[in-house]
Amino acid sequence: MMISKRLLTVSLLILFSLFHTSRIDAGEVKSAKPIKIIVNDWTSQIVNSKILGTVYESVGYTVEYPFYAVDKQFGAMNLGWAHIQVEIWEGTMLNAFENVKQKNVVEAGLHPAQTREEWWYPSYVKQSCPGLPDYRALNECAHLFATPTSHGKGVYIGGPWEKPDAKRIKALGLNFIIEIAKNSDELTALLQTAVKNQTPIVMFNWTPNWTDFAYDGEFVEFPAYEKACESDPKWGVNPLFTYDCGNPKGGRLFKGAWKGVKTEWPCAYQILENMKMTNHMIAEAAFLVDREHNTHDQAAKIWIERHQDIVKSWIPPSCSH
Ligand code: TMO
């Protein structure tokens, strides 16, 4: 009895390792463990995650989409709790990413897209505040952006992503307060209401985004960013405070992965490296949801149908079914 049980165990082990080896020989190591693709709280990131996840499923992987706020995601990735991030914006996430990059997180290549994240308004706002886009016009026009509870100060609508807006308001002496929208859906709703009523609004926005295709709009031009603006109070128009400048322009957009992805799901890692999104492609992904009211899943499906050749080109031949 004892012996046969042991025999059974041993033969099962041999069988299992044969099975495992044969998969390695095929050059398609496909761990059945789910790949956890991080989703954040703005549209293009969610749609891009679903696009990538759909491609992963098409080559046989299992995928999950845990939500993480941007300030929690890299800690989770460093511990291997989450595995992939498809849209890392230099302007909002570089420092947090750099903290984990030398540990258990790797950079998986750049998107060709060039990014900017900054205060923004739809163009009709300029009719009532003609000094824009120069930031100095904001104080002359602060009353236009006031609300019943802002005590005459202008209201700037920010997002839930780390930005030095409070420091900038102080350093540049702006007569503004900040209200934070909880995600890109709320920003979109506020913008659409303002446009419908042609009321002034100044809010956080970025490019690539759906607004690139939907509205004329402009970023506010603050004093041009330089690294020293963040660290040296003497730099810039205010000698006492840092952050008397705008956000960087021409920011990089890149991808990141938990280090273990390369060995656990090698094809997934290669596909992530090969996924390269332009400004146009990302704005389109967001437009499908924020303007055309598809769900994130529908948008991913439509996007993949429209760009089949591009999507196919991300999949190395040894990884396709
Ligand atoms: C990170 N975001 C694109 C919302 O600025």
Side-chain angles (χ1 to χ4, degrees):
M1 214 34 202
M2 284 302 283
I3 290 174
S4 67
K5 224 184 191 174
R6 243 159 89 190
L7 260 178
L8 185 68
T9 314
V10 169
S11 46
L12 273 176
L13 272 174
I14 290 171
L15 249 181
F16 179 77
S17 64
L18 272 177
F19 179 60
H20 202 72
T21 312
S22 73
R23 289 177 135 206
I24 291 171
D25 286 345
E28 290 181 37
V29 187
K30 284 177 185 166
S31 164
K33 276 196 225 155
I35 305 173
K36 295 185 182 166
I37 302 177
I38 292 172
V39 296
N40 297 137
D41 40 18
W42 68 96
T43 305
S44 65
Q45 197 279 345
I46 302 170
V47 177
N48 277 333
S49 297
K50 301 269 163 114
I51 290 169
L52 181 66
T54 305
V55 176
Y56 283 174
E57 283 170 350
S58 79
V59 299
Y61 289 120
T62 309
V63 179
E64 289 174 9
Y65 302 98
F67 170 81
Y68 283 94
V70 291
D71 59 343
K72 300 283 187 327
Q73 62 186 350
F74 295 128
M77 214 188 225
N78 196 41
L79 293 167
W81 296 350
H83 308 127
I84 305 272
Q85 165 56 280
V86 292
E87 257 193 40
I88 303 174
W89 290 60
E90 178 173 17
T92 7
M93 285 159 244
L94 187 66
N95 294 344
F97 185 76
E98 294 288 332
N99 282 339
V100 292
K101 196 171 142 190
Q102 304 310 329
K103 298 175 188 165
N104 298 317
V105 171
V106 290
E107 185 175 328
L110 282 176
H111 292 291
Q114 296 270 307
T115 68
R116 187 169 177 192
E117 301 165 273
E118 191 57 275
W119 295 35
W120 181 95
Y121 53 87
S123 294
Y124 65 80
V125 174
K126 247 163 76 167
Q127 286 159 19
S128 37
C129 189
L132 288 172
D134 189 313
Y135 78 97
R136 283 165 288 204
L138 287 172
N139 274 353
E140 291 153 30
C141 307
H143 63 281
L144 293 175
F145 303 99
T147 65
T149 52
S150 70
H151 305 286
K153 287 175 180 281
V155 173
Y156 163 71
I157 319 272
W161 311 286
E162 201 116 323
K163 281 279 156 214
D165 292 317
K167 290 178 183 157
R168 177 183 301 149
I169 283 173
K170 183 169 160 192
L172 293 177
L174 299 176
N175 191 24
F176 271 74
I177 59 168
I178 308 170
E179 278 175 15
I180 301 285
K182 69 173 190 293
N183 50 36
S184 75
D185 289 350
E186 204 170 301
L187 283 174
T188 295
L190 289 167
L191 174 60
Q192 280 169 340
T193 306
V195 169
K196 190 162 148 246
N197 302 324
Q198 297 283 295
T199 47
I201 183 170
V202 59
M203 58 184 269
F204 183 62
N205 199 2
W206 56 90
T207 184
N209 197 5
W210 68 279
T211 44
D212 298 347
F213 296 156
Y215 297 127
D216 273 346
E218 284 177 340
F219 290 109
V220 174
E221 297 294 342
F222 293 104
Y225 173 86
E226 279 180 30
K227 195 115 192 96
C229 168
E230 292 181 353
S231 53
D232 180 4
K234 288 196 289 296
W235 185 96
V237 294
N238 186 330
L240 299 178
F241 294 117
T242 53
Y243 288 99
D244 41 354
C245 63
N247 297 322
K249 298 176 189 175
R252 291 183 304 140
L253 187 69
F254 53 99
K255 301 154 282 179
W258 172 57
K259 208 164 66 181
V261 172
K262 281 185 186 178
T263 45
E264 182 87 38
W265 306 279
C267 284
Y269 189 81
Q270 290 176 57
I271 292 167
L272 178 67
E273 275 203 318
N274 293 342
M275 180 191 196
K276 294 196 173 80
M277 304 290 267
T278 63
N279 286 61
H280 193 279
M281 289 155 82
I282 290 172
E284 184 185 359
F287 192 90
L288 282 164
V289 174
D290 289 328
R291 189 68 169 191
E292 297 185 330
H293 308 298
N294 294 288
T295 64
H296 299 120
D297 290 315
Q298 286 165 342
K301 200 162 158 265
I302 295 168
W303 195 99
I304 289 170
E305 277 163 16
R306 284 190 193 162
H307 299 285
Q308 285 180 37
D309 290 348
I310 290 170
V311 170
K312 275 192 202 123
S313 77
W314 299 343
I315 306 173
S318 63
C319 297
S320 58
H321 263 343

